[in-house]
């Protein structure tokens, strides 16, 4: 039973086999020219006024239930990718708001990438863990499963989706329950099964949203990411995209064919297909950002948009720093460093397709404040007037100190050190080295189910150095990273250590190496937030 759910499920697309009613109308009705004429007239007006007016009309339509109107022509091609996270589509009302955002930009025909609704991914993981300790006959009563069913059925009711789409939703909910029964019977939740489990969130949200658009008069079609060619290795829970296979396949799947009328694709985020197994894989937490930039790169678009719940990328974490400010521009290198060292706005690997293209920008915008310009991330920007762009905090890291027992001149010391971490499959964040010692921090697992190493695992790691090195670890450390212009390092560090001296904060490690945009400091967890606030005040307030 379990195995039947680990390969990609084929889903009925009866509702999508025929053109939506607007497409049929546009192709058969003598008055179909009105659609094209309205689009052309809208495109001639200023974008700002047009977007505001369109938003007002669309929001009104969503509330009253009147048909929505496409803002593109029937022969237009895709010219944008818009990705919306879980908070943006957490409820039926939020889905209606997302529809109004999409339709508030005249002349823009996007691919829409969606995450699971709200906390659905967490609920799916919770259901999987509870299934391990629940009898098969009692799976239907699992609280997280009941909450998932209630949320999606309630959303389907509120959005008034068509019977065929509702049938698809019910079929997925049934498959989900069967998978959990299989987990209960087998008493095992393998990484492969976990990927299949968490895939249901995106597969449900995209079907509901596409069905809502069709019911509202917008030609839309739902796609699972694996069905349009996103191919990965078989490293379940944290799969890597195989770009050579993925990019041409996605382009072929989403390019409008001769005589085909334009429609809006709605695609699942963070899912792929294992090249060897053919099973569902996931790109890890936040991988929907990568799906967005992958599609944009495949289609050769000039810009993609990632819609979040903040006004772009900020100068610091607003949960810690009250005065955090939006950042207008970043380079790909700056954005990648921010993501790796604590900023949660973008997935760390999402920049790769855009950086490889070189001429595609990534704009981060706020779905709760659509008029905010957001942050544009691109290949280059003017750094002449930049000192510090943003300061991020990564807490709960472990600092490890390793020293050679042979003192000076040990050949291959660093190679042996990092071989240990390779064998233990541990990722390292910050490193400082000398001929006879190395200090580094460990990155919490970059998988879907993040956790820190327990003491027994760290003790085992220390044992791996016995006989040729001394090793010790300190838990409860934080990394403060300043994304900055390293050409001004002397001025920046003078001010940084002045602030930390006043705040009585001891720096345990400092690293400024290969990255030309990042200075990292390791401090104790208990001092980290105060140090972050003080540094932000020094450079931004």
């Amino acid at each position: 039973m379990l195995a039947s759910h680990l390969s990609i499920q084929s889903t009925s697309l009866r509702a999508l086999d025929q053109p939506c009613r607007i497409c049929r109308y546009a192709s058969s009705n003598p008055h179909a020219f009105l659609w094209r004429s309205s689009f052309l007239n809208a495109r001639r007006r200023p974008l700002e006024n047009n977007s505001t007016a369109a938003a007002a009309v669309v929001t009104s339509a969503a509330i009253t239930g009147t048909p929505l109107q496409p803002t593109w022509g029937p022969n237009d091609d895709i010219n944008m990718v818009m990705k919306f996270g879980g908070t943006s589509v957490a409820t039926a009302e939020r889905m209606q708001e997302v529809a109004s955002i999409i339709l508030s930009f005249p002349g823009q025909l996007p691919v829409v990438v969606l995450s699971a609704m709200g906390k659905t991914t967490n609920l799916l993981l919770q259901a999987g863990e509870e299934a391990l300790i629940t009898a098969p006959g009692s799976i239907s009563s699992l609280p997280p499963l009941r909450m998932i069913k209630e949320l999606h059925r309630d959303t389907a009711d509120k959005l008034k989706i068509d019977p065929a789409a509702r049938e698809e939703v019910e079929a997925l909910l049934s498959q989900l329950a069967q998978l959990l029964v299989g987990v209960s019977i087998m008493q095992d939740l393998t990484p492969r099964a976990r990927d299949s489990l968490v895939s249901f969130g995106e597969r449900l949200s995209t079907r509901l949203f596409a069905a809502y658009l069709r019911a509202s008069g917008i030609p839309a079609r739902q796609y699972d990411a694996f069905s349009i060619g996103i191919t990965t290795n078989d490293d379940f829970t944290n799969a890597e995209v195989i770009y050579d296979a993925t990019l041409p396949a996605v382009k072929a799947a989403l390019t409008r064919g001769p005589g085909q009328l334009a429609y809006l694709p709605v695609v699942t985020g963070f899912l792929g297909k294992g090249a060897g197994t053919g099973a569902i894989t996931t790109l890890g937490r936040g991988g929907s950002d990568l799906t967005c930039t992958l599609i944009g790169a495949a289609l050769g678009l000039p810009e993609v948009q990632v819609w979040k719940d903040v006004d772009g990328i900020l100068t610091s974490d607003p949960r810690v720093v009250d005065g955090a400010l939006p950042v207008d521009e970043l380079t790909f290198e700056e954005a990648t460093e921010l993501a790796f060292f604590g900023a949660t706005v973008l997935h760390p690997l999402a920049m790769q397709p855009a950086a490889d293209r070189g001429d595609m920008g990534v704009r981060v915008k706020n779905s709760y404040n659509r008029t905010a310009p957001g942050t544009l991330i691109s290949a280059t920007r003017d750094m002449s007037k930049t000192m510090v762009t943003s300061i991020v905090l990564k807490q709960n890291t472990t600092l490890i100190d390793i020293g050679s027992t042979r003192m000076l001149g040990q050949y291959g010391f660093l190679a042996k050190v990092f071989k240990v971490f390779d064998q233990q499959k541990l990722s390292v964040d910050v490193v400082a080295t000398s001929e006879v010692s190395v200090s580094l921090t460990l990155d919490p697992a970059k998988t879907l189910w993040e956790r820190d190493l327990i003491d027994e695992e760290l003790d085992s790691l220390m044992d791996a150095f016995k006989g040729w090195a001394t090793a010790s670890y300190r838990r409860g450390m934080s990394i403060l990273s300043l994304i900055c212009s390293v050409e001004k390092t002397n001025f920046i560090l003078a001010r940084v250590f002045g602030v930390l001296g006043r705040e009585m904060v001891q720096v345990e490690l400092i690293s400024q190496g290969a990255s030309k945009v990042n200075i990292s400091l390791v401090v104790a967890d208990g001092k980290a937030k105060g140090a972050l606030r003080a540094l932000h005040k020094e450079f931004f307030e």
Side-chain angles (χ1 to χ4, degrees):
M1 182 180 296
L2 179 61
S4 67
H5 293 280
L6 301 186
S7 59
I8 294 173
Q9 306 288 340
S10 59
T11 305
S12 171
L13 296 177
R14 290 193 300 273
L16 305 180
D17 288 338
Q18 301 297 324
C20 77
R21 62 174 179 267
I22 282 191
C23 290
R24 294 197 299 270
Y25 175 83
S27 60
S28 62
N29 194 292
H31 299 289
F33 73 91
L34 290 174
W35 184 11
R36 184 68 175 174
S37 175
S38 297
F39 160 71
L40 290 173
N41 289 335
R43 195 158 58 178
R44 293 188 187 104
R45 294 191 292 271
L47 179 61
E48 294 80 5
N49 294 336
N50 217 11
S51 299
T52 303
V57 171
V58 171
T59 302
S60 175
I63 294 172
T64 62
T66 57
L68 304 176
Q69 293 296 322
T71 55
W72 60 88
N75 297 312
D76 284 351
D77 293 321
I78 293 167
N79 53 21
M80 177 60 68
V81 183
M82 304 173 78
K83 181 263 177 177
F84 294 88
T87 58
S88 296
V89 293
T91 64
E93 293 76 17
R94 287 302 305 160
M95 284 193 174
Q96 290 173 325
E97 178 65 18
V98 166
S100 78
I101 291 172
I102 292 167
L103 298 173
S104 64
F105 299 96
Q108 186 167 289
L109 172 56
V111 176
V112 176
V113 178
L114 296 186
S115 296
M117 294 182 68
K119 299 297 183 182
T120 298
T121 300
N122 290 337
L123 289 173
L124 287 165
L125 290 171
Q126 183 182 343
E129 294 298 330
E130 292 186 13
L132 291 170
I133 55 173
T134 301
S138 301
I139 289 296
S140 61
S141 63
L142 286 178
L145 178 59
R146 292 205 312 268
M147 292 172 68
I148 291 167
K149 288 182 175 180
E150 180 180 347
L151 171 64
H152 291 87
R153 286 169 175 166
D154 182 59
T155 302
D157 290 339
K158 290 180 178 178
L159 297 181
K160 297 180 172 60
I161 69 171
D162 60 89
R166 182 179 288 272
E167 186 177 328
E168 286 189 59
V169 169
E170 289 299 328
L172 284 174
L173 291 173
S174 176
Q175 291 168 21
L176 169 59
Q178 291 173 33
L179 175 56
L180 291 171
V181 169
V183 170
S184 173
I185 292 173
M186 300 297 293
Q187 285 295 289
D188 192 13
L189 186 57
T190 65
R192 178 169 172 166
R194 287 179 186 267
D195 274 1
S196 183
L197 178 64
V198 298
S199 75
F200 282 94
E202 271 76 0
R203 293 158 70 191
L204 286 163
S205 67
T206 50
R207 281 164 173 79
L208 286 170
F209 187 69
Y212 167 67
L213 291 177
R214 292 195 301 271
S216 303
I218 301 299
R221 192 172 298 182
Q222 187 274 347
Y223 292 101
D224 294 318
F226 44 74
S227 72
I228 62 171
I230 294 184
T231 306
T232 72
N233 63 11
D234 293 292
D235 185 8
F236 295 103
T237 75
N238 200 24
E240 294 182 6
V241 173
I242 301 174
Y243 287 91
D244 290 344
T246 295
L247 294 177
V250 170
K251 181 177 181 179
L254 295 179
T255 298
R256 186 170 56 87
Q260 184 181 29
L261 295 176
Y263 63 90
L264 189 152
V266 180
V267 181
T268 59
F270 111 124
L271 304 181
K273 176 178 67 176
T277 61
I280 294 173
T281 57
T282 65
L283 308 179
R285 288 278 192 186
S288 298
D289 296 341
L290 177 55
T291 306
C292 173
T293 55
L294 268 175
I295 293 173
L299 297 178
L301 302 181
E303 181 179 308
V304 299
Q305 296 176 350
V306 178
W307 290 75
K308 301 287 187 177
D309 55 1
V310 291
D311 289 340
I313 294 174
L314 306 180
T315 52
S316 195
D317 187 343
R319 295 168 298 182
V320 180
V321 178
D322 292 335
L325 305 169
V327 176
D328 295 332
E329 292 182 282
L330 287 172
T331 65
F332 293 134
E333 186 178 16
E334 288 175 307
T336 300
E337 291 288 316
L338 276 169
F340 273 120
F341 284 98
T344 58
V345 175
L346 281 178
H347 187 273
L349 299 178
M351 296 300 100
Q352 183 175 340
D356 289 346
R357 268 278 311 279
D359 59 349
M360 184 177 82
V362 180
R363 190 178 295 275
V364 182
K365 291 179 67 69
N366 188 353
S367 64
Y368 292 85
N369 182 18
R370 72 181 73 181
T371 60
T375 302
L376 178 63
I377 308 168
S378 56
T380 60
R381 71 183 183 102
D382 182 7
M383 300 287 288
S384 61
K385 297 181 180 179
T386 298
M387 182 168 287
V388 176
T389 302
S390 184
I391 309 173
V392 289
L393 172 63
K394 192 171 192 176
Q395 292 186 284
N396 193 32
T397 63
T398 299
L399 177 64
I400 296 181
D401 297 307
I402 305 161
S404 170
T405 56
R406 299 184 187 179
M407 299 306 291
L408 297 178
Q410 181 181 357
Y411 177 77
F413 172 66
L414 289 179
K416 292 178 69 174
V417 167
F418 287 104
K419 185 177 180 180
V420 170
F421 291 100
D422 178 56
Q423 292 171 338
Q424 301 278 342
K425 298 187 182 302
L426 295 174
S427 181
V428 172
D429 265 335
V430 178
V431 182
T433 67
S434 72
E435 186 180 10
V436 296
S437 66
V438 57
S439 295
L440 51 83
T441 60
L442 293 182
D443 190 13
K446 291 181 180 139
T447 65
L448 202 57
W449 307 275
E450 294 182 0
R451 68 171 180 82
D452 200 5
L453 293 171
I454 60 176
D455 287 341
E456 289 79 2
E457 291 170 317
L458 285 168
D459 290 336
S460 176
L461 175 64
M462 298 301 101
D463 289 340
F465 296 103
K466 286 184 176 178
W468 56 275
T470 59
S472 62
Y473 65 86
R474 283 175 284 173
R475 308 192 69 164
M477 308 302 290
S478 290
I479 304 171
L480 283 166
S481 294
L482 288 81
I483 307 304
C484 58
S485 173
V486 294
E487 294 179 356
K488 301 169 184 173
T489 297
N490 291 346
F491 303 103
I492 294 170
L493 287 179
R495 294 172 66 177
V496 165
F497 280 102
V499 169
L500 297 182
R502 292 194 300 270
E503 298 294 319
M504 303 295 290
V505 176
Q506 176 70 35
V507 175
E508 303 294 340
L509 183 153
I510 181 169
S511 177
Q512 179 196 334
S515 171
K516 303 303 181 185
V517 298
N518 178 21
I519 298 172
S520 292
L521 310 166
V522 176
V523 302
D525 266 346
K527 294 283 190 176
K529 289 185 178 180
L532 176 61
R533 296 186 188 100
L535 288 171
H536 190 275
K537 183 177 181 180
E538 173 71 18
F539 288 104
F540 298 107
E541 298 175 29

